[in-house]
């Protein structure tokens, strides 16, 4: 469980996406418990729908249906930077100099709003230019599903690049009426909780309607990018400095995990006895010994 195989890499290369199991049952339970710090369970929502109507309905805000990395607790932080995903990103992007470009958690609730989308490419809000071919990929998106996804619980639909590789990048959006051939090739990502869809900025996909009369879907959109591509990526995490969530993450993360939010890696020229002392004072719970050991 959670091991991405060689066949999965080859599937991604051929189709522009792959769906694999990522989390075991205990990890799923831990992440869902963590998610409930941000948004209600279905049972809680069904008992008190008026409490939440302004935050889950189309006219409402995102108070209880949207949260971003870093998170309260550790389960969601660990799955965001899951070592299998990092290894996959390193392999397809071709470097270990990577950063987390986004980590957005969302909840979709039955009978609240229309989640139907057109087939599209994701790069529109990830870069001001256009994505290079997958052979030269610089950023990698993925969606982790924390609840079972059935055909009536808003599955992601995806189209193999076997049918789209030669299409122009613009327009990014295609309607069902204007591009029926694309929709004829789409397939729903119907998966058990703990699965991940790894795709590409060149892969057409869409969110679909949640038609079930009850239930919800928890999922997280994440992305990894090369550190030397300031022209792509959704967010920088420097503005989270000083927040309790970021302080907790940095103090409990490994040195490798810290790199994904822009923290200098072990051995970086930034580190000397003075900066190590100052950073250690800023984060009293952080083990500074790896950075100190690298000086010698």
């Amino acid at each position: 469980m959670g091991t991405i195989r060689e066949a999965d890499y080859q599937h991604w290369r051929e189709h522009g996406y792959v769906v694999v199991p990522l989390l075991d049952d205990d990890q799923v339970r831990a992440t869902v418990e963590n998610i409930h710090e941000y948004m209600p369970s279905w049972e809680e929502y069904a008992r008190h729908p008026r409490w939440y109507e302004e935050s889950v309905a189309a006219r409402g805000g995102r108070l209880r249906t949207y949260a971003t990395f870093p998170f309260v607790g550790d389960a969601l932080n660990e799955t965001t930077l899951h070592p299998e995903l990092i290894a996959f990103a390193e392999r397809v992007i071709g470097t270990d100099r990577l950063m987390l470009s986004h980590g957005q958690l969302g909840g979709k609730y039955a009978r609240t709003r229309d989640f139907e989308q057109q087939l599209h490419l994701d790069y529109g809000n990830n870069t001001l230019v256009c994505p290079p071919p997958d052979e030269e990929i610089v950023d990698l998106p993925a969606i982790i599903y924390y609840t079972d996804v059935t055909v009536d619980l808003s599955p992601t639909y995806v189209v193999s690049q076997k049918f789209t590789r030669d299409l122009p990048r613009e327009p990014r959006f295609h309607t069902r009426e204007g591009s029926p051939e694309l929709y004829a090739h789409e397939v729903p990502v119907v998966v058990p909780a703990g699965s991940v869809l790894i795709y590409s900025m060149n892969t057409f996909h869409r969110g679909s309607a949640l038609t079930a009369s009850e239930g919800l879907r928890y999922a997280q959109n994440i992305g990894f990018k090369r550190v030397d591509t300031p022209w792509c990526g959704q967010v920088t995490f420097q503005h989270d400095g000083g927040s309790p969530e970021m302080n907790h993450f940095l103090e409990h993360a490994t040195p490798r995990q810290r790199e994904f939010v822009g923290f200098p890696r072990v051995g970086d020229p930034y580190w000397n006895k003075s900066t190590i002392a100052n950073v250690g004072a800023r984060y009293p719970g952080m083990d500074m010994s790896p950075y100190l050991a690298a000086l010698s």
Side-chain angles (χ1 to χ4, degrees):
M1 188 70 168
T3 300
I4 301 178
R5 307 163 301 164
E6 179 65 26
D8 298 321
Y9 291 106
Q10 298 307 323
H11 190 283
W12 183 88
R13 287 292 183 194
E14 180 179 359
H15 298 279
Y17 77 92
V18 66
V19 181
V20 295
L22 184 71
L23 309 176
D24 62 29
D25 291 343
D26 289 339
Q27 290 171 316
V28 169
R29 280 191 289 270
T31 53
V32 170
E33 183 177 348
N34 208 166
I35 289 169
H36 290 161
E37 295 284 339
Y38 296 95
M39 55 194 75
S41 66
W42 173 254
E43 291 74 19
E44 172 70 10
Y45 171 76
R47 278 197 301 269
H48 305 289
R50 292 186 180 180
W51 290 9
Y52 304 106
E53 63 180 353
E54 289 300 320
S55 58
V56 300
R59 68 180 182 278
R62 289 176 163 177
L63 179 63
R64 293 185 183 272
T65 60
Y66 182 83
T68 60
F69 178 92
F71 301 101
V72 173
D74 295 316
L76 282 168
N77 290 337
E78 290 295 327
T79 57
T80 303
L81 295 175
H82 195 286
E84 292 281 342
L85 291 178
I86 291 174
F88 192 102
E90 288 175 341
R91 179 167 180 180
V92 299
I93 298 177
T95 180
D96 67 351
R97 299 307 306 270
L98 300 176
M99 290 185 64
L100 184 71
S101 64
H102 59 277
Q104 302 161 342
L105 174 70
K108 296 181 178 181
Y109 293 76
R111 306 195 303 269
T112 57
R113 52 178 291 194
D114 183 7
F115 298 103
E116 185 81 1
Q117 294 180 334
Q118 297 174 353
L119 284 172
H120 64 278
L121 301 174
D122 265 356
Y123 72 85
N125 62 346
N126 285 269
T127 181
L128 297 178
V129 289
C130 291
D134 284 353
E135 294 77 16
E136 306 165 19
I137 188 173
V138 296
D139 55 344
L140 181 74
I143 305 173
I144 306 174
Y145 303 97
Y146 297 117
T147 50
D148 294 341
V149 181
T150 58
V151 73
D152 58 350
L153 284 174
S154 190
T156 308
Y157 280 76
V158 64
V159 180
S160 169
Q161 286 192 27
K162 289 174 62 177
F163 307 108
T164 65
R165 193 163 279 116
D166 295 330
L167 289 180
R169 300 302 87 182
E170 292 288 336
R172 297 191 305 277
F173 290 84
H174 289 264
T175 65
R176 189 180 298 273
E177 296 74 21
S179 302
E181 70 286 354
L182 283 184
Y183 288 81
H185 293 299
E186 67 175 6
V187 294
V189 180
V190 175
V191 292
S195 302
V196 59
L197 165 67
I198 308 172
Y199 58 111
S200 161
M201 294 297 175
N202 293 303
T203 301
F204 284 94
H205 65 288
R206 68 181 180 90
S208 67
L210 200 163
T211 59
S213 59
E214 60 182 32
L216 54 73
R217 196 201 79 169
Y218 294 142
Q220 186 184 5
N221 291 77
I222 66 173
F224 300 105
K225 56 162 281 186
R226 292 175 56 113
V227 298
D228 58 352
T229 54
W231 40 267
C232 78
Q234 288 191 19
V235 297
T236 173
F237 293 96
Q238 309 310 315
H239 68 278
D240 288 311
S243 71
E245 293 86 356
M246 182 57 81
N247 290 350
H248 176 87
F249 167 73
L250 290 174
E251 290 187 339
H252 291 81
T254 66
R256 175 65 173 141
Q257 289 174 326
R258 294 181 191 123
E259 292 178 37
F260 284 84
V261 296
F263 204 84
R265 65 166 39 190
V266 172
D268 188 274
Y270 166 81
W271 296 113
N272 55 48
K273 289 184 178 180
S274 175
T275 57
I276 290 172
N278 287 332
V279 173
R282 180 175 181 178
Y283 304 105
M286 183 180 294
D287 178 11
M288 304 304 298
S289 60
Y291 304 97
L292 189 60
L295 293 183
S296 59

